[in-house]
Amino acid sequence: MNCQFPTVLRPLIGRNYLWRKNSSEKVVYLTFDDGPVPEVTPQVLSVLDDFNIKATFFCVGDNVNKYPELYREILLKGHSVGNHTFHHLNGFKVEHEQYLNDVEQASQLIDSRLFRPPYGKLTRREKKILEQKFQIVLWDVISYDYDRNLSPSQVLENVKHNSRNGSVILFHDSVKAKNNMLSVLPDAINFLLAKGFRFERL
Ligand SMILES: [Zn+2]
């Protein structure tokens, strides 16, 4: 599903993407994609509350439409939100116009200047248009929480091993990722706090 682009390719596929904040400070950015869903998102919010941490949720418009009160709760708790299309489309697999319309449809519900393309896939043409309206956010640390072949400890290791100053860390508040994500999130946060990082929203 999601893939992490090798570092060496990054300059070729979008200088204007935000992969990581260029930071000399010990700050990291937790991000949660694909929610909000009642099976997972409330539990994420509760963990973040326990640590008094703010994060960023890249919401699927269709889920915001189904669960508006959950979406409002994310905002009420002071987290940031971003647009993750309405139908979780793959930018390589649908027509340009359909893709842009889908992003626009999500924009009707999600008031944000942040956009993250599902699967990290966006054609050059889509990017060129969307970057006029949005800061396009990818990630530099992927937890692979959605990968059911990975154990929670492997997911935790991905986060521990790759996080550094300014990292944008990708988790999912999705049913698919739930088990891995919820079992590692508190440990990942504790590890990063012990390393002296603080958490900010995008
Ligand atoms: Zn996604």
Side-chain angles (χ1 to χ4, degrees), residues 99-151:
Y99 192 84
L100 296 176
N101 285 342
D102 202 81
V103 175
E104 181 51 36
Q105 193 185 349
S107 272
Q108 304 295 318
L109 297 174
I110 301 161
D111 183 19
S112 176
R113 300 270 305 162
L114 304 173
F115 174 73
R116 174 176 278 165
Y119 317 101
K121 288 178 178 167
L122 208 53
T123 65
R124 192 175 295 196
R125 198 167 158 209
E126 288 155 359
K127 172 179 177 282
K128 209 170 167 188
I129 290 172
L130 290 171
E131 71 190 3
Q132 291 169 26
K133 184 173 173 184
F134 295 101
Q135 166 70 65
I136 302 175
V137 183
L138 294 174
W139 55 84
D140 79 318
V141 178
I142 184 165
S143 64
Y144 292 104
D145 53 358
Y146 56 83
D147 186 340
R148 287 174 171 165
N149 294 317
L150 294 188
S151 67

Side-chain angles (χ1 to χ4, degrees), residues 20-156:
R20 171 185 173 228
K21 291 246 186 183
N22 196 358
S23 180
S24 52
E25 291 180 83
K26 301 209 71 164
V27 182
V28 291
Y29 303 85
L30 292 181
T31 66
F32 296 89
D33 286 11
D34 300 356
V37 291
E39 298 89 340
V40 192
T41 309
Q43 294 176 68
V44 175
L45 291 173
S46 159
V47 173
L48 296 174
D49 272 358
D50 288 346
F51 287 96
N52 196 22
I53 280 172
K54 303 301 177 207
T56 304
F57 290 79
F58 286 91
C59 297
V60 170
D62 193 35
N63 286 334
V64 175
N65 191 41
K66 284 182 194 151
Y67 311 112
E69 60 298 320
L70 259 183
Y71 175 73
R72 271 196 297 276
E73 203 182 332
I74 293 171
L75 293 173
L76 278 172
K77 288 183 179 293
H79 303 292
S80 292
V81 291
N83 184 322
H84 198 47
T85 76
F86 197 91
H87 293 104
H88 205 263
L89 297 183
N90 182 331
F92 290 177
K93 288 191 177 166
V94 298
E95 292 298 321
H96 170 73
E97 199 167 306
Q98 185 192 345
Y99 192 84
L100 296 176
N101 285 342
D102 202 81
V103 175
E104 181 51 36
Q105 193 185 349
S107 272
Q108 304 295 318
L109 297 174
I110 301 161
D111 183 19
S112 176
R113 300 270 305 162
L114 304 173
F115 174 73
R116 174 176 278 165
Y119 317 101
K121 288 178 178 167
L122 208 53
T123 65
R124 192 175 295 196
R125 198 167 158 209
E126 288 155 359
K127 172 179 177 282
K128 209 170 167 188
I129 290 172
L130 290 171
E131 71 190 3
Q132 291 169 26
K133 184 173 173 184
F134 295 101
Q135 166 70 65
I136 302 175
V137 183
L138 294 174
W139 55 84
D140 79 318
V141 178
I142 184 165
S143 64
Y144 292 104
D145 53 358
Y146 56 83
D147 186 340
R148 287 174 171 165
N149 294 317
L150 294 188
S151 67
S153 61
Q154 288 170 305
V155 172
L156 181 61

